Structure formats: C-alpha cells, structure tokens
Amino acid sequence: MIDPASSAAAQGFCACHVCGLVVPMHNEESPARCPRCNTTLRFRKPDSMMRCWALLIAAYLFYLPANLLTMMETGTLISYRKDTILSGIIHLWNNGNPGIAVIVFIASIMVPIFKLIVLTLLLLSVRRGSRWGLKHRIQLYRIVEMVGRWSMLDIYVLTILAALVQIQSMATVKAGTGSIFFGAVVVLTMFAAMEFDPRMMWDSLREKESV
Amino acid sequence: MKNDERPLIACPQCDLLMREIPLPSKGAACCCRCGATLYRNLPDSLNRSLAFSISSAILFIIVNSFPLLGINLQGNANAVTLLQAVQSLWDQGMHLVSSLTFITAIFVPALEMGLMLYLLVPIRIGLVPPGVSPIMRLLQIIKPWGMVEVFMLGILVSLVKLVQDFRIIPGVALWSFVGLTVMLAAVASSFNPRDIWAHLDKDNDGKID
Ligand SMILES: [Zn+2]
Ligand SMILES: [Zn+2]
C-alpha cells in the first residue's frame, strides 16, 4: 500500500526524471540506474540550491550593465542615436507604436525582473523550510518556467535589424555591448529556473511528519 | 486491473506518489496535490507527431533557403536569410548574441526535428532505433532552448520598427516561418513521450498490457 498524502522519496521510491518510471530505492549507498532507460536515479536534482543561487547571483550582476549600456545604435544621414533597452521602448512609444512598446516592455523589462525576484523568493522559502502557500509558490514557479523564453525577443529584434539595416551610410543599425549582458541575463535565469527543483518546496511537509 | 496493481507514478513537481488511472481519449491526469499535468492520453500521437515533424522539417528547409525579409530605401535594397542574419551579427563582432540566435532559432529546432524523425520513422514501421533513451534525454534537455515562436514575435516587432523608414519586401521564408511556428507547436502538443516508453516496454519483454 502507498500513503496517498506522502512523497515518493519519503516512501523509498525514486521517479526517473527521463522516463518517469518509479523505482524502489531503499538504500542510498550508490547511485542506482533506471531499469528502463539507464538514467542515473536521484531523489532530487543534485546541489539544486547552490547551483541555482550561483546562477541567480551572476544574473543579478549582469542585470545592471544589461539595462544601463547601449543595446542598439541607429544611424541615418540626419540622425544618430544610442538606445538602452528602456530608452528604445520609450522611443517606440513616442513614435506611434505603443502596442509594440508594451510587448517589448513586458518581454525585456518585466519578465527578467519577475524571474529574478520570484526565483530569489522561492530559494529563500525553501531555505527556511516554509510550508506557506505551496500551491501559490508552485504556480509562480510554473509562470517563471513559461515566460522566461520570451525575453529573447529583444535579442532577435536586434539580430534582424542589425543584419538588415546596412544600407551604406544612409541607414545602419549596430548592436551595442548592453546586448551581450542582456543575453547573458536571459540565459543565466533560464538555467537557474532549470536547476531549481520544485519538489524541495514540498519536502517541508515531510520534515513535519518525521518530527 | 485492480487499483493496487496499477503502475506507480510520482509527480515531477511535488513528488507525490500516486497510482496511475486509466484515461478517456484526450484526457489528462493531474496531480491531486499540486495540480501538475502528469500524463495525457493523446489518440494516435505517434502518427500525428510524425506527420507534423515531417511538415515542419520541410518548412524549416524552405525558411533557411530563402530571404526572410528585405528592405528598400530610395532604390538601395538589402535582404537576408536567417543564417545570413546570424552571420552578419557575427561579423560585426557580436559573437555571443549571434551564437544565441543561431542556437535557439536554427540549431536546436533543427536538432529537435532530426531527433524526432530518427525516433518516429522507425517506430512507425515497427522497428526500435538504437539509443532511444539518450535521445529522449537529449530531447528533454534541448526543448526549452528551441524558441521559434519567440523569433516569430521578433520578426513582427522588427517589421513594425522597419515599416516607418523603409519599404518592406516580405520574403518567401517569412510566410514559411509562420507555418513552421504553427507546425512546431503542433508537434509539441501531439508528441506523447509515454507512447515511446510503452513501445519500448512492449518490445523488451511483452509484459506490458
Ligand atoms: Zn528511466
Ligand atoms: Zn504534484
């Protein structure tokens, strides 16, 4: 019989993270392998907290230069401008594209901030063994996983514009150094979200039982 | 089958241990603690994902063979394919940004389609290709890095930005790219990894019913 309110790990079972097969694992001495797909079985992602913190801190460090340095340089015969992410959005807004400005604002400003804050809060809550609002926290985690990729929007727009707008001296677009940091923030936060193991949040319930 | 004989399943997001339940066609089983989708019953999933994979592979080849967009300013024109765009950014010294676009918009989608065809074509004709497990693992790892639908939005935003100053010449690849985005979404929603594992189990010992 299985306990309908308890985790697999608490009952000595480990689910294969590739094929999903549930394997009994009562002794933890050597890493066992999944009998179906030969993947190394682990109760939780190894060093999840530490890796996630490391990636997150690196993302925080890159966040400021990503937002302060030039993202895109635009030159025409009569004008020349350097835009950061935010000034680019304001320029779009003022030039009759408020809809697109909002989309870029959400993808480039809101999503990265949201990811950084939510992952930090989730890590802190796991560290404290908090049992509060598990259902809300798992939903926050799912949103982070889902929206993270959309931050790549600005990188793609930059790639297309910088490649296409190269018409002698009449019109040129160049990518700025800010884009390197911005790309790094997107990639680092995506890796951080992947390293985070949401099952750790629910392990706080298990600790309560064993006391 | 009695309740106690059904296979065990652990929720990937909260690790709750449960027993599998039979599902109606197109049904989905959810975790009763955190609500995560555990598995789905997708009718005819192997055939559908194969058909969608083949269509997306064809569209992908078209996308990469023709210019995506062209612009025209007072008679001076410029047009680029997807790969040329990546190449141009690389030549401008933006190696990281260029690699990021190459990996997420070209390499990973291509690899994903290739692996899907490698898995599904032999299974469709009743064979099991070697290395199913590492390929399933690889598919799982690369999945978040294929961002064709985000690139599609990137094209739209670029169009809006360009249309003020230039005459736009939409390329053949642009329309194919819309199709590719739709087809890849169809592959993702029709592919059911459980069917692959079930197929393997059947092949290995014939015990699975
Ligand atoms: Zn396995
Ligand atoms: Zn769950």
Side-chain angles (χ1 to χ4, degrees):
Chain A
M1 275 305 287
I2 60 163
D3 178 358
S6 177
S7 70
Q11 297 172 71
F13 288 97
C14 185
C16 170
H17 61 280
V18 175
C19 73
L21 190 71
V22 176
V23 183
M25 218 160 80
H26 293 290
N27 44 352
E28 292 178 46
E29 82 281 354
S30 64
R33 285 181 173 271
C34 171
R36 179 155 70 181
C37 71
N38 204 31
T39 308
T40 307
L41 293 172
R42 300 183 192 282
F43 284 111
R44 298 289 176 266
K45 290 178 191 169
D47 303 324
S48 167
M49 292 279 278
M50 208 181 65
R51 292 187 194 182
C52 194
W53 272 123
L55 291 161
L56 205 57
I57 289 166
Y60 272 116
L61 289 178
F62 286 173
Y63 186 77
L64 271 185
N67 280 278
L68 296 177
L69 295 177
T70 307
M71 186 81 175
M72 184 159 35
E73 293 171 38
T74 321
T76 64
L77 283 177
I78 44 159
S79 73
Y80 176 78
R81 52 180 295 132
K82 282 183 170 185
D83 278 310
T84 62
I85 294 174
L86 194 60
S87 78
I89 294 169
I90 294 168
H91 185 69
L92 259 179
W93 178 276
N94 290 334
N95 281 270
N97 282 309
I100 295 294
V102 169
I103 291 176
V104 179
F105 180 76
I106 292 173
S108 307
I109 308 262
M110 302 262 284
V111 168
I113 291 181
F114 178 80
K115 279 174 80 174
L116 288 172
I117 292 175
V118 168
L119 282 174
T120 307
L121 288 178
L122 290 180
L123 280 170
L124 288 174
S125 79
V126 169
R127 196 189 158 97
R128 288 181 49 236
S130 165
R131 269 162 236 148
W132 176 85
L134 281 165
K135 282 194 173 150
H136 298 294
R137 280 193 277 147
I138 193 82
Q139 261 158 8
L140 282 176
Y141 171 72
R142 283 179 200 145
I143 297 172
V144 164
E145 262 201 320
M146 201 172 63
V147 299
R149 52 205 286 106
W150 293 93
S151 295
M152 283 291 284
L153 180 68
D154 242 9
I155 296 286
Y156 293 150
V157 173
L158 192 66
T159 305
I160 295 170
L161 294 186
L164 205 52
V165 186
Q166 298 293 343
I167 302 183
Q168 294 145 35
S169 59
M170 294 168 76
T172 51
V173 168
K174 255 189 80 191
T177 23
S179 62
I180 299 170
F181 291 97
F182 184 76
V185 170
V186 177
V187 171
L188 286 168
T189 50
M190 275 187 70
F191 273 123
M194 285 172 202
E195 284 297 335
F196 184 80
D197 193 336
R199 293 172 297 185
M200 294 186 302
M201 299 196 289
W202 303 83
D203 284 340
S204 58
L205 296 173
R206 180 182 165 189
E207 280 148 25
K208 182 178 67 179
E209 287 159 15
S210 59
V211 168
Chain B
M1 200 192 274
K2 279 213 317 267
N3 198 29
D4 276 8
E5 289 164 3
R6 291 211 181 95
L8 288 167
I9 188 166
C11 172
Q13 297 206 331
C14 77
D15 206 32
L16 185 68
L17 190 63
M18 289 160 280
R19 294 231 177 246
E20 287 184 9
I21 50 165
L23 286 181
S25 180
K26 292 180 184 171
C30 295
C31 170
C32 49
R33 183 159 73 177
C34 75
T37 305
L38 299 171
Y39 57 95
R40 295 176 296 172
N41 180 358
L42 299 168
D44 207 20
S45 116
L46 291 180
N47 281 332
R48 284 184 196 196
S49 4
L50 178 59
F52 291 137
S53 297
I54 293 172
S55 332
S56 39
I58 294 168
L59 285 167
F60 184 81
I61 293 168
I62 300 174
V63 162
N64 283 284
S65 319
F66 295 96
L68 206 53
L69 276 178
I71 53 169
N72 190 318
L73 182 67
Q74 295 159 18
N76 296 290
N78 191 19
V80 287
T81 65
L82 187 52
L83 203 60
Q84 281 166 349
V86 169
Q87 174 79 47
S88 161
L89 218 65
W90 181 271
D91 293 340
Q92 291 172 37
M94 303 304 286
H95 298 169
L96 187 105
V97 178
S98 165
S99 321
L100 216 51
T101 306
F102 176 73
I103 291 168
T104 56
I106 302 177
F107 181 71
V108 168
L111 184 62
E112 210 175 348
M113 282 180 270
L115 293 176
M116 289 290 274
L117 290 177
Y118 174 83
L119 278 180
L120 295 172
V121 172
I123 288 178
R124 180 70 188 76
I125 55 175
L127 301 168
V128 174
V132 171
S133 302
I135 286 171
M136 291 296 282
R137 172 94 191 99
L138 188 58
L139 274 172
Q140 202 181 46
I141 294 171
I142 63 171
K143 197 175 172 30
W145 300 101
M147 305 190 191
V148 163
E149 77 282 19
V150 184
F151 195 88
M152 183 71 239
L153 186 63
I155 296 177
L156 291 178
V157 171
S158 309
L159 274 175
V160 173
K161 282 189 165 188
L162 288 167
V163 83
Q164 292 181 322
D165 304 320
F166 306 96
R167 202 159 59 76
I168 310 267
I169 309 141
V172 179
L174 184 63
W175 308 113
S176 317
F177 206 95
V178 179
L180 179 65
T181 309
V182 175
M183 279 303 138
L184 283 178
V187 172
S189 68
S190 65
F191 183 59
N192 194 356
R194 274 170 68 88
D195 290 357
I196 304 275
W197 297 119
H199 200 86
L200 264 192
D201 286 342
K202 221 186 302 175
D203 212 70
N204 285 345
D205 49 29
K207 276 182 217 148
I208 304 290
D209 48 36

